[in-house]
Amino acid sequence: MNMLTFPSEAELNEAAAGVITDLVRTKPHAVIGLATGGTPVGIYRTMIRSYQNGMVSYQQVTTFNLDEYVGCSVEDPQSYACYMQEHLFRHIDVQPMNIHIPDGSVRDPEAECRRYDERLEAVGQLDLQLLGLGHNGHIGFNEPDHSLISSTHVVALRDETRQANARFFDDPGRVPTHAITMGVGAILKAKKILLVVKGSDKADIVHRALTGEIKTECPASLLQTHPNLVVMMDEEAGRHFR
Ligand code: F6R
């Protein structure tokens, strides 16, 4: 595990975006797993800047997002598909046919999970998976439980996750109850994992996840088993490691 802390969010964003752009420059047809939420916004902004400066092209890149809310269509402004367009995709030259996000609006979410796994299997292995960290230790929407699921699946969101994500909704009562998430199998199969953690409210959970027992009750603790894990934190999130 390679653990790095940064004195400012700008430096953290720069370093995390650098991992992605370095990969794409050395491997133009890289397959990258992407996350949503508050954590990656600044990273994506930094990636857009380096694209606009002509330093990198995403023309041959393939992307797979971690998750999507059940019941949210691509047009829904609260959907992760919309988030990705807004915060990254529409600003860079990634090809729409190379973008993969589970479709939360389908009638049969279970079938959508199988379809997503087929797409993942077709690429074999993600070159890089970008992850944020939930306050309860979730990665993707793999919520703490007495067992975890390896494949893409429908998950009931925990109350604490719905509360944390209510900040993105005008009406907190509208936070979906279920999501489709990539399972821990595809995440852990990635050649490299970049876990980014920001803010003092994540200091306890990131310390527990990376130094505590490996337990499904803290899904992020499974990352300890990954042979190529890079953790980037700001000083607030990383304060227990000092
Ligand atoms: C998002 C995702 C989640 C978030 C986590 C942290 O696609 O899979 O695991 O990374 O909930 O969210 P933020 O960054 O909003 O604190």
Side-chain angles (χ1 to χ4, degrees):
M1 184 184 323
N2 183 6
M3 210 178 291
L4 302 158
T5 41
F6 296 87
S8 71
E9 189 177 355
E11 285 160 276
L12 169 53
N13 289 337
E14 202 68 51
V19 171
I20 299 172
T21 52
D22 285 351
L23 168 66
V24 175
R25 276 198 292 257
T26 52
K27 187 173 181 184
H29 57 282
V31 184
I32 306 177
L34 295 173
T36 56
T39 305
V41 173
I43 300 171
Y44 293 154
R45 209 180 302 125
T46 310
M47 286 166 64
I48 293 166
R49 215 176 34 238
S50 57
Y51 165 73
Q52 288 171 341
N53 291 339
M55 289 157 69
V56 64
S57 165
Y58 294 89
Q59 199 124 38
Q60 297 176 63
V61 164
T62 297
T63 66
F64 280 87
N65 264 80
L66 281 166
D67 36 32
E68 180 59 281
Y69 290 121
V70 169
C72 274
S73 73
V74 183
E75 290 80 36
D76 192 324
Q78 313 287 5
S79 71
Y80 283 162
C82 196
Y83 167 106
M84 288 308 299
Q85 286 300 332
E86 196 56 36
H87 291 290
L88 184 65
F89 294 150
R90 73 181 173 88
H91 306 282
I92 61 174
D93 61 347
V94 63
Q95 299 299 298
M97 66 178 186
N98 293 337
I99 293 171
H100 302 87
I101 304 179
D103 185 346
S105 69
V106 293
R107 275 211 197 161
D108 185 351
E110 302 293 344
E112 175 62 7
C113 294
R114 290 192 295 275
R115 189 192 65 89
Y116 207 62
D117 276 338
E118 280 163 20
R119 298 262 165 100
L120 281 164
E121 270 154 37
V123 297
Q125 199 181 15
L126 302 168
D127 289 297
L128 175 70
Q129 175 64 61
L130 173 65
L131 291 178
L133 177 64
H135 291 98
N136 61 8
H138 72 220
I139 46 175
F141 276 139
N142 293 278
E143 297 278 41
D145 215 331
H146 33 258
S147 65
L148 292 174
I149 299 172
S150 173
S151 55
T152 301
H153 57 282
V154 176
V155 62
L157 297 174
R158 301 278 291 249
D159 286 345
E160 62 268 23
T161 299
R162 295 186 67 231
Q163 273 158 27
N165 289 3
R167 69 192 198 278
F168 299 115
F169 289 76
D170 296 335
D171 173 3
R174 278 206 61 225
V175 183
T177 55
H178 290 76
I180 293 176
T181 184
M182 203 188 274
V184 288
I187 295 173
L188 292 174
K189 201 172 146 190
K191 286 185 195 159
K192 181 173 185 161
I193 295 179
L194 173 59
L195 173 68
V196 180
V197 192
K198 296 177 176 176
S200 59
D201 52 324
K202 301 261 181 90
D204 291 348
I205 188 62
V206 69
H207 189 257
R208 181 150 66 87
L210 299 178
T211 65
E213 276 181 75
I214 299 172
K215 295 199 288 196
T216 59
E217 283 76 9
C218 180
S221 66
L222 269 72
L223 298 174
Q224 291 182 41
T225 66
H226 196 276
N228 193 4
L229 172 67
V230 178
V231 185
M232 293 188 173
M233 298 172 283
D234 60 17
E235 276 181 353
E236 289 77 21
R239 69 170 192 267
H240 297 318
F241 293 99
R242 267 181 242 144

